[in-house]
Amino acid sequence: MNIQQEVLLQQQQYSLAPSSSMAQNQAQAAPTKKRRNQPGTAPYPDAEVIALSPKTLMATNRFLCEVCNKGFQREQNLQLHRRGHNLPWKLKQKNTKEVVKRKVYLCPEITCVHHEISRALGDLTGIKKHYFRKHGEKKFKCEKCSKKYAVQSDWKAHTKTCGTREYRCDCGTLFSRASFRFPR
């Protein structure tokens, strides 16, 4: 934030009226605030829209070796594995001159907000985690509090802090958050 923007912000906070020419210059220099996508407005109108099936989203090994049926999460890993079978292989090279079209991913659940093109998610990992969290089976259970998670990384993050932060009320009740001790 530059000095002019800071001055404008201070003037707005204290309801001071800046001179009209100064206000116009500062309004042009101020960056526009990024808003959440509104329904019906696609964030990337020229993006390639990809709708994967639930089976594909939940697959752990999408790339299979045709010789030994071993599965891999990434195509690059399969190509490196193919070398062991003396099969032809080729690693993909990034072409800096080639324009890569942006991809957005739709949730396969029709009732989900991310099934709409305007609310599509921007990467494969994001749509996979979303699908598991919101629509998948919760397979990971905390041993201390029995809370269940669908995504292993969420479960791991929870288990690191579960039971470590306890707040005791004057009445003797234990709370997991300090905010629960005080009425609103």
Side-chain angles (χ1 to χ4, degrees), residues 5-18 23 26-27 30:
Q5 290 171 332
E6 286 182 36
V7 169
L8 179 63
L9 184 65
Q10 288 175 352
Q11 288 172 339
Q12 288 172 348
Q13 287 174 345
Y14 296 110
S15 302
L16 296 175
Q26 290 172 347

Side-chain angles (χ1 to χ4, degrees), residues 4-176:
Q4 287 180 338
Q5 290 171 332
E6 286 182 36
V7 169
L8 179 63
L9 184 65
Q10 288 175 352
Q11 288 172 339
Q12 288 172 348
Q13 287 174 345
Y14 296 110
S15 302
L16 296 175
S19 68
S20 61
S21 63
M22 186 177 161
Q24 288 173 350
N25 290 341
Q26 290 172 347
Q28 291 172 354
T32 57
K33 186 177 179 182
K34 186 175 179 182
R35 291 189 188 162
R36 189 174 185 179
N37 297 332
Q38 299 300 316
T41 59
Y44 303 102
D46 58 338
E48 179 184 353
V49 179
I50 300 171
L52 299 172
S53 70
K55 185 179 177 182
T56 305
L57 285 174
M58 297 180 87
T60 53
N61 296 322
R62 293 176 45 219
F63 302 97
L64 295 175
C65 175
E66 62 271 20
V67 176
C68 66
N69 287 327
K70 185 173 180 182
F72 298 91
Q73 290 182 353
R74 296 175 58 232
E75 186 180 12
Q76 298 281 63
N77 294 348
L78 172 61
Q79 293 299 328
L80 291 171
H81 168 81
R82 287 173 57 108
R83 290 191 313 179
H85 294 298
N86 293 323
L87 293 173
W89 58 278
K90 186 173 187 202
L91 295 177
K92 286 185 178 178
Q93 301 292 323
K94 279 197 172 183
N95 189 351
T96 55
K97 295 176 185 173
E98 184 181 305
V99 177
V100 179
K101 194 171 185 182
R102 187 171 196 63
K103 296 176 184 175
V104 292
Y105 297 87
L106 297 179
C107 180
E109 289 291 322
I110 296 169
T111 57
C112 182
V113 295
H114 295 292
H115 187 70
E116 296 290 324
I117 294 173
S118 62
R119 300 294 298 275
L121 297 168
D123 65 341
L124 184 60
T125 305
I127 190 68
K128 279 186 166 195
K129 284 190 174 184
H130 159 78
Y131 188 79
F132 275 98
R133 283 178 181 137
K134 301 299 179 186
H135 313 295
E137 179 189 350
K138 296 186 176 186
K139 298 183 273 189
F140 304 98
K141 184 178 175 183
C142 176
E143 298 296 325
K144 295 178 185 175
C145 69
S146 300
K147 191 170 182 182
K148 292 183 178 181
Y149 292 90
V151 178
Q152 188 178 20
S153 59
D154 294 344
W155 170 74
K156 280 185 177 178
H158 168 81
T159 55
K160 287 180 182 176
T161 60
C162 182
T164 59
R165 290 177 279 185
E166 292 180 342
Y167 303 94
R168 188 174 298 276
C169 180
D170 295 338
C171 68
T173 308
L174 284 175
F175 293 94
S176 59

